[in-house]
Each structure stands twice: as structure tokens, then as C-alpha cells.
Amino acid sequence: MSRNAEVIVLALYADEVMEPLTHDDGDRTWRGRFVPIQSQWVGSFGFGWATEFEKMRSRAGLLEHLESLPWPHPGSVQVLIHDQDDECFGLWMLHDSKLVEIALPHTQRFHQPAPRNEDFPPDPGYLLRTDQGHILPEQTPEELRDRRPSW
């Protein structure tokens, strides 16, 4: 299934941690590699990495992999994710060693009902702005959502 997404990782002094993720690795559950975000001012910004995913299956296990890394400053780790159906980036931060989505003001993540079987990848839902004056969809009850991690 095709569904593009951009991911940005921000973390202080994490060059060594992120360096292996700047190369393709067939042993990872997710496919792709991060590139450093460069500033126009040398040395002023070096704490960010970005990647893009073209398919939902290619990103499976990304958050779990990021959780497992030995971050020098875990409290600084921020993962920004923009799925093609999102109206803005979502924010994930480490809490008790797990990357959890942080609720942003004036946004809400809407979920589809879970698929009937696991032939389909887990769906992350979509993040919508609630302050734009448009009609919001009906939320799927929690018990009907897919419980598998989508990232």
C-alpha cells in the first residue's frame, strides 16, 4: 500500500547514534536512511536528520528501533512525522523509554477501523487541525481500532 510520509528526528549530540541510520541496512525492519539536516550557518544546527517513506510496510518498526538507541540526551529526542493524510506534523517524544505521540493543541488524530485481517499494514490514522473551521470526521471507537504499531 502506498502512503508517503516524512520523518524528522531531532536529538542533541546524537551524531554517533544516528550515523548507522544514514546508511541502508537490510537487517532493519524498516527500509531507508536518514540524511543530516544542514544549516546555512556552519556549526549552528546539527541535531536533525530526515527521511521519507513511500510505502507503509517500509516504515514498520521505525519507532521501536529509535527507542532502542543509546541516546546521549534522551529528553531531547523528538520525532516529527507527517503522513500524507496529516494536516501537520505529529510529535513523538521518549517517555519511560517509549516514543509516545504528544498531543498538540488544536489537533486530533483520527483512526480508521482495524482491517479484518493482518494482510494489510497497520494504519496510523491521520492528524487533523481542529481549529480550521472544517467539519471533522467521526472518530472510530478505541475498541475498533487496529492495536498494532503503525510505525
Side-chain angles (χ1 to χ4, degrees):
M1 173 179 263
S2 179
R3 189 152 150 181
N4 298 335
E6 299 92 22
V7 177
I8 298 169
V9 174
L10 303 172
L12 294 175
Y13 310 108
D15 290 326
E16 286 183 34
V17 171
M18 287 299 293
E19 198 284 328
L21 305 186
T22 64
H23 307 281
D24 291 321
D25 182 346
D27 291 334
R28 293 192 295 243
T29 58
W30 57 277
R31 301 290 176 248
R33 58 186 164 83
F34 283 87
V35 295
I37 300 171
Q38 300 297 319
S39 171
Q40 63 183 351
W41 297 286
V42 176
S44 68
F45 186 80
F47 307 118
W49 298 264
T51 191
E52 292 184 69
F53 294 96
E54 293 182 16
K55 305 222 181 271
M56 289 176 68
R57 291 189 196 279
S58 68
R59 59 197 191 190
L62 174 65
L63 292 183
E64 185 176 356
H65 186 172
L66 293 173
E67 291 168 351
S68 74
L69 298 175
W71 299 103
H73 299 281
S76 74
V77 175
Q78 299 172 63
V79 180
L80 302 165
I81 299 175
H82 181 262
D83 195 74
Q84 77 178 29
D85 294 331
D86 294 341
E87 290 185 342
C88 61
F89 276 85
L91 170 64
W92 280 255
M93 296 177 75
L94 285 171
H95 181 69
D96 293 333
S97 301
K98 294 287 183 195
L99 281 165
V100 296
E101 187 170 14
I102 305 302
L104 299 174
H106 309 290
T107 66
Q108 185 175 354
R109 182 163 300 280
F110 290 87
H111 299 274
Q112 300 293 330
R116 293 178 190 217
N117 59 49
E118 292 192 10
D119 291 343
F120 298 94
D123 190 318
Y126 47 98
L127 189 63
L128 298 181
R129 297 276 309 258
T130 60
D131 60 350
Q132 301 299 297
H134 55 297
I135 298 172
L136 297 171
E138 188 174 324
Q139 182 64 276
T140 299
E142 221 171 296
E143 64 273 9
L144 299 179
R145 299 178 196 169
D146 197 339
R147 303 222 183 276
R148 299 174 295 161
S150 54
W151 287 94

